[in-house]
């Protein structure tokens, strides 16, 4: 499978998983090409950079997510290797803000 198809398949796979959690998720660029959306959309307040690769430069990926995120969106990278689980990587400061908000909301 070429890397372009692997990336698209990874985005579809991740969107499916997020829908199983109850979110209306889909590939961000599936309809009209590059439109400024994240790779996968449907999580309010989160800009998802999806990476489905064996070797990942996580700092480059998170920088891409930061650069592409709109105001009010937390940049995250959701990634996995073959036969491994999905992981989420984000800046610690953003994670602490989300964690603190979740604690206070409960």
């Amino acid at each position: 499978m070429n890397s372009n198809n692997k990336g698209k398949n990874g985005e579809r796979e991740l969107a499916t998983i997020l829908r199983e959690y109850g979110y209306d998720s889909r590939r961000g660029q599936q309809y009209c090409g590059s439109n400024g959306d994240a790779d996968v959309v449907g999580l309010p307040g989160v800009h998802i950079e999806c990476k489905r690769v064996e070797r990942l430069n996580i700092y480059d990926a998170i920088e891409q997510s930061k650069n592409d995120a709109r105001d009010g969106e937390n940049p995250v990278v959701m990634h996995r290797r073959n036969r491994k689980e999905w992981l989420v990587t984000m800046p610690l400061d953003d994670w602490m803000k989300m964690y603190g908000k979740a604690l206070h909301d409960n």
Side-chain angles (χ1 to χ4, degrees):
M1 177 183 305
N2 73 35
S3 61
N4 193 30
N5 284 339
K6 188 173 186 178
K8 289 178 186 177
N9 287 340
E11 291 168 4
R12 282 190 283 271
E13 176 186 345
L14 181 57
T16 297
I17 291 168
L18 296 175
R19 282 193 302 272
E20 290 170 359
Y21 279 97
Y23 296 95
D24 185 23
S25 297
R26 61 170 174 80
R27 286 185 60 223
Q29 299 180 11
Q30 69 184 12
Y31 296 112
C32 59
S34 182
N35 59 4
D37 280 341
D39 289 342
V40 176
V41 297
L43 294 183
V46 177
H47 182 92
I48 300 171
E49 186 64 35
C50 178
K51 299 293 183 186
R52 182 66 179 77
V53 295
E54 295 306 298
R55 304 181 123 240
L56 175 62
N57 182 326
I58 193 62
Y59 287 97
D60 285 351
I62 200 70
E63 194 63 31
Q64 181 180 0
S65 188
K66 284 180 177 181
N67 289 338
D68 294 346
R70 295 178 177 144
D71 287 341
E73 288 182 328
N74 289 305
V76 303
V77 178
M78 296 188 181
H79 54 100
R80 83 171 185 91
R81 292 180 175 175
N82 288 337
R83 296 174 293 283
K84 299 291 182 181
E85 65 186 326
W86 282 95
L87 301 175
V88 177
T89 302
M90 64 187 303
L92 177 62
D93 188 55
D94 292 338
W95 189 86
M96 292 304 298
K97 289 174 187 172
M98 287 176 59
Y99 182 75
K101 183 177 179 335
L103 279 179
H104 294 323
D105 287 349
N106 287 325

